[in-house]
Amino acid sequence: MLQLSNVNTFYGPSQVLHEVSLEVQKGEIVCLLGANAAGKTTTMKTIFGLVRPRGGSILFDGKPIERRLTGDIVASGLALVPEARRIFPRMSVLENLEMGAYTRKSRAELSQDLEHVCDIFPRLRERLKQAAGTMSGGEQQMLAMARALMSHPRMICMDEPSMGLSPIMVETVFETVQRIRNEGVTVFLVEQNASMALKLADRGYVLQTGKIVLSDTAANLLTNDLVRQAYLGGA
Ligand code: ATP
């Protein structure tokens, strides 16, 4: 469904992604693990056209997207839950959700989608009028995920959804990721929380200083020496 081949991304003269190749197949949960500054967020930004790669190709459903506008990419069925959530803090929960649906036209579709995400995130239904920035970190993460779902994606990319959350909220977030997949949405997950991500994912990639150094099933990565030492605290 999503295929990156030999992607090279630069910020000015400095190269951050080096020949990154990875793929996510329909129905999978695939995670991308990496330490701080490995290039995880840059990978997401490159997929969504927020940074243009200088080389390589990105296919979504077999069609090249590396030169397309972010809005067109989202409209084609790929949604992003950005790092640090990036909700609109002064807007209400409802307004944030409506922003996520900007690619959809009809009022009827909008209210149907709103019902659907409120079924997944009942906490949001109770808080539709609340200013989004006054919610807890976990609630804001739920809102960021719900907002992405409002665009009716076939695939969703999430940048560190567990960041800064309490252990119990992290569990809730990962349960929700599972539920989203069970509803037929393919998931690409960027995470530093390797242990949780690998328990949930089907497959994973490890990114080190902008290069993919490992790719395997999640089960194999959980027992891999490099992964255990670098990302699972040597456990
Ligand atoms: P973290 O887990 O800390 O968010 P990350 O793996 O997501 O890290 P990136 O944010 O992709 O890492 O950053 C990769 C490298 O690119 C870092 O060295 C960072 O300083 C650099 N970088 C990121 N954004 C820019 C930018 N706009 N201009 C210049 N350099 C940047």
Side-chain angles (χ1 to χ4, degrees):
M1 197 167 204
L2 180 71
Q3 186 172 29
L4 276 67
S5 307
N6 305 108
V7 168
N8 290 305
T9 300
F10 293 70
Y11 293 111
S14 77
Q15 184 166 5
V16 173
L17 297 186
H18 301 261
E19 302 289 323
V20 168
S21 297
L22 59 86
E23 63 176 23
V24 184
Q25 288 172 17
K26 192 169 189 295
E28 279 190 312
I29 299 179
V30 172
C31 67
L32 179 67
L33 306 176
N36 284 115
K40 303 181 301 298
T41 298
T42 301
T43 304
M44 288 300 197
K45 286 185 173 166
T46 308
I47 292 169
F48 282 87
L50 297 164
V51 194
R52 296 284 173 200
R54 274 199 215 160
S57 70
I58 306 174
L59 301 179
F60 179 56
D61 270 347
K63 297 189 191 90
I65 57 168
E66 70 272 3
R67 300 275 162 242
R68 293 183 68 188
L69 297 173
T70 306
D72 293 342
I73 294 169
V74 174
S76 74
L78 190 59
L80 174 67
V81 182
E83 188 181 31
R85 320 192 238 286
R86 306 249 182 261
I87 52 147
F88 303 104
R90 292 207 187 87
M91 288 165 66
S92 71
V93 168
L94 177 61
E95 286 163 342
N96 268 272
L97 292 172
E98 286 174 347
M99 292 294 281
Y102 76 99
T103 57
R104 324 258 304 154
K105 299 283 182 301
S106 101
R107 224 44 228 174
E109 275 178 339
L110 188 77
S111 62
Q112 214 177 352
D113 291 345
L114 194 60
E115 267 309 301
H116 178 64
V117 299
C118 286
D119 284 345
I120 301 177
F121 304 100
R123 186 77 69 93
L124 298 181
R125 193 194 298 279
E126 298 160 16
R127 290 163 189 272
L128 286 175
K129 294 200 178 116
Q130 186 172 332
T134 63
M135 296 203 299
S136 74
E139 288 165 348
Q140 290 185 25
Q141 184 59 48
M142 297 295 161
L143 176 58
M145 290 162 81
R147 183 181 58 185
L149 287 174
M150 288 294 287
S151 69
H152 246 250
R154 283 172 293 129
M155 177 168 171
I156 194 163
C157 297
M158 300 188 197
D159 195 350
E160 298 203 39
S162 74
M163 190 169 57
L165 300 183
S166 66
I168 200 131
M169 271 323 296
V170 172
E171 279 202 22
T172 309
V173 163
F174 280 100
E175 278 164 24
T176 313
V177 174
Q178 180 80 58
R179 177 162 176 193
I180 289 171
R181 188 264 285 274
N182 291 347
E183 293 200 353
V185 181
T186 303
V187 178
F188 182 49
L189 185 69
V190 159
E191 262 299 337
Q192 278 201 50
N193 189 334
S195 123
M196 289 294 281
L198 288 172
K199 280 178 194 141
L200 181 76
D202 302 301
R203 290 189 303 112
Y205 293 88
V206 176
L207 189 68
Q208 270 181 359
T209 54
K211 297 187 182 100
I212 300 284
V213 294
L214 260 180
S215 151
D216 210 331
T217 61
N220 284 347
L221 289 176
L222 267 171
T223 56
N224 178 286
D225 281 344
L226 182 144
V227 174
R228 285 161 73 94
Q229 276 160 26
Y231 305 104
L232 300 171

